[in-house]
């Protein structure tokens, strides 16, 4: 485990930059998906669930923990709070499930130039996230905190519904907006984007066994977090919730979504500018030290 810790050594400022970049980029992309209409093909609805390649790429190239948490928080801030909505405990379920999935996906990759590793990690992240969401939805119906019986008198029919939705999200959004873009971006950005944070790229010569990555502690923590996600969603549906809703879209009109998009975009640009300045300052300091 010593090697794994060394693989993600970042300064506090670098961790903050990764966090803010992930939060703003994914928050911006999440707002864009709201503007894209869905396509209905019979009983199947094709829609862009999310642009998962953004947090996946950042989790693979940088620190998976800070990139994963930043992306989840970006969705809450720009996709919910900025629009005057906050689902209380229900948001915690989404936050935990998505953060856990992205963190595990980023931890699976030891060599960002290895397309096989990157592809497996991308699909694993999507599958874990969708599986947790599906199990939580099924559990809510079976326990009785939510009513959904597609076949009257047969609560088990929710399994079929959630199974179809799971396959749709994994095969459609998972492949088109997670696997393919991540396979393209990660090898091309590796070694080019890291210097913006003043850090060296991952050492892709170090090999990690699956036992080192998927340690018992990670499995136990993952199971506990998945259970916590279900618990918070259960509280939300059972009425023990603290929701906040101002619904700015109804108050000001659909154009207000562009306010959230604009703020996210400004944060992205500001973060990139700060990163470039830090890189230039570090280069100037090294040049001065070399000349002196």
């Amino acid at each position: 485990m010593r090697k794994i810790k060394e693989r993600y050594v970042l300064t506090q400022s670098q961790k903050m930059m990764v966090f803010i970049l992930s939060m703003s980029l994914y928050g911006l992309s999440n707002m864009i998906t709201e503007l894209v209409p869905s396509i209905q093909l019979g009983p199947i609805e094709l829609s862009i669930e999310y642009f998962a390649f953004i947090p996946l790429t950042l989790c693979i190239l940088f620190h998976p923990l800070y990139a994963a948490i930043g992306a989840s928080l970006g969705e809450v801030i720009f996709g919910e709070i900025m629009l005057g909505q906050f689902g209380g405990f229900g948001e915690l379920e989404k936050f935990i499930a998505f953060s856990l999935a992205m963190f595990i996906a980023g931890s699976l990759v030891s060599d960002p130039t290895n397309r096989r590793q990157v592809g497996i990690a991308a699909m694993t992240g999507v599958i874990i996230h969708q599986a947790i969401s599906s199990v939580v939805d099924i559990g809510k119906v079976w326990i009785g905190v939510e009513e959904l019986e597609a076949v009257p008198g047969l609560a088990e029919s929710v399994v079929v519904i959630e199974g179809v939705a799971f396959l749709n999200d994994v095969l459609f959004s998972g492949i088109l907006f997670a696997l393919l873009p991540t396979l393209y971006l990660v090898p091309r950005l590796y070694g080019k984007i890291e210097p913006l944070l003043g850090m060296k790229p991952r050492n892709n010569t170090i090999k990690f066994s699956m036992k080192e990555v998927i340690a018992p502690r990670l499995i136990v923590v993952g199971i506990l977090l998945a259970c916590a996600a279900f618990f918070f969603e259960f509280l939300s549906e059972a009425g023990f919730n603290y929701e906040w809703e101002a619904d700015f879209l109804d108050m000001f009109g659909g154009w207000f979504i562009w306010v959230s998009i604009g703020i996210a975009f400004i944060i992205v640009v500001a973060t990139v500018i700060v990163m470039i300045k830090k890189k230039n300052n570090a280069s100037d300091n090294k040049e001065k030290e070399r000349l002196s």
Side-chain angles (χ1 to χ4, degrees):
M1 292 302 294
R2 182 181 62 84
K3 289 183 179 179
I4 287 183
K5 291 180 180 179
E6 289 178 356
R7 190 171 82 178
Y8 302 128
V9 172
L10 299 177
T11 65
Q12 288 300 321
S13 62
Q14 289 169 345
K15 291 175 182 177
M16 182 59 67
M17 284 295 176
V18 170
F19 177 84
I20 295 175
L21 185 64
S22 179
M23 178 185 72
S24 54
L25 274 176
Y26 186 65
L28 177 62
S29 71
N30 196 256
M31 298 306 302
I32 293 175
T33 60
E34 296 291 331
L35 301 175
V36 180
S38 59
I39 300 175
Q40 193 75 33
L41 298 177
I44 299 176
E45 181 182 5
L46 299 179
S47 61
I48 301 177
E49 178 73 14
Y50 44 32
F51 290 125
F53 69 90
I54 293 176
L56 284 170
T57 299
L58 295 175
C59 285
I60 292 171
L61 293 176
F62 298 119
H63 199 299
L65 178 61
Y66 294 93
I69 294 177
S72 297
L73 189 61
E75 180 180 3
V76 174
I77 292 177
F78 297 105
E80 301 290 337
I81 296 178
M82 287 292 298
L83 299 181
Q85 302 170 351
F86 181 68
F89 287 136
E91 298 301 329
L92 286 177
E93 180 265 328
K94 299 177 185 177
F95 182 93
I96 292 173
F98 191 73
S99 297
L100 177 63
M102 295 300 105
F103 171 76
I104 292 176
S107 300
L108 289 176
V109 180
S110 61
D111 181 7
T113 63
N114 188 322
R115 291 179 179 274
R116 182 172 176 271
Q117 283 189 17
V118 173
I120 292 174
M123 290 307 297
T124 299
V126 173
I127 289 171
I128 290 175
H129 176 237
Q130 295 300 329
I132 292 176
S133 299
S134 297
V135 170
V136 168
D137 290 340
I138 292 171
K140 288 189 299 183
V141 175
W142 282 6
I143 290 177
V145 295
E146 182 177 88
E147 293 185 4
L148 175 62
E149 293 186 8
V151 179
L154 185 62
E156 289 80 2
S157 60
V158 70
V159 177
V160 177
I161 297 174
E162 290 298 330
V164 172
F166 171 81
L167 291 175
N168 175 49
D169 290 334
V170 170
L171 297 178
F172 182 66
S173 293
I175 293 177
L176 292 181
F177 303 105
L179 176 62
L180 297 180
T182 305
L183 280 175
Y184 177 82
L185 289 172
V186 171
R188 283 165 175 75
L189 292 178
Y190 175 68
K192 299 179 181 67
I193 192 173
E194 294 90 347
L196 291 176
L197 283 135
M199 61 181 287
K200 294 180 180 179
R202 278 189 184 183
N203 186 351
N204 59 1
T205 61
I206 299 177
K207 303 302 179 184
F208 301 92
S209 68
M210 192 58 67
K211 290 182 180 180
E212 289 179 303
V213 177
I214 308 298
R217 184 174 63 177
L218 178 61
I219 296 174
V220 172
V221 171
I223 293 174
L224 290 177
L225 287 175
C227 293
F230 176 80
F231 175 72
F232 286 121
E233 184 65 15
F234 175 83
L235 290 179
S236 174
E237 294 294 336
F240 299 97
N241 199 17
Y242 299 94
E243 296 184 13
W244 172 74
E245 185 172 356
D247 210 340
F248 296 143
L249 291 178
D250 284 344
M251 292 173 60
F252 302 108
W255 66 268
F256 192 81
I257 194 172
W258 290 99
V259 174
S260 182
I261 292 175
I263 293 175
F265 180 75
I266 291 172
I267 295 176
V268 170
V269 173
T271 304
V272 172
I273 290 174
V274 171
M275 290 166 63
I276 293 174
K277 285 185 176 180
K278 282 181 173 290
K279 177 193 174 184
N280 292 336
N281 291 336
S283 299
D284 292 342
N285 292 334
K286 286 183 181 179
E287 183 66 19
K288 290 178 181 178
E289 291 178 0
R290 188 183 66 82
L291 296 174
S292 63

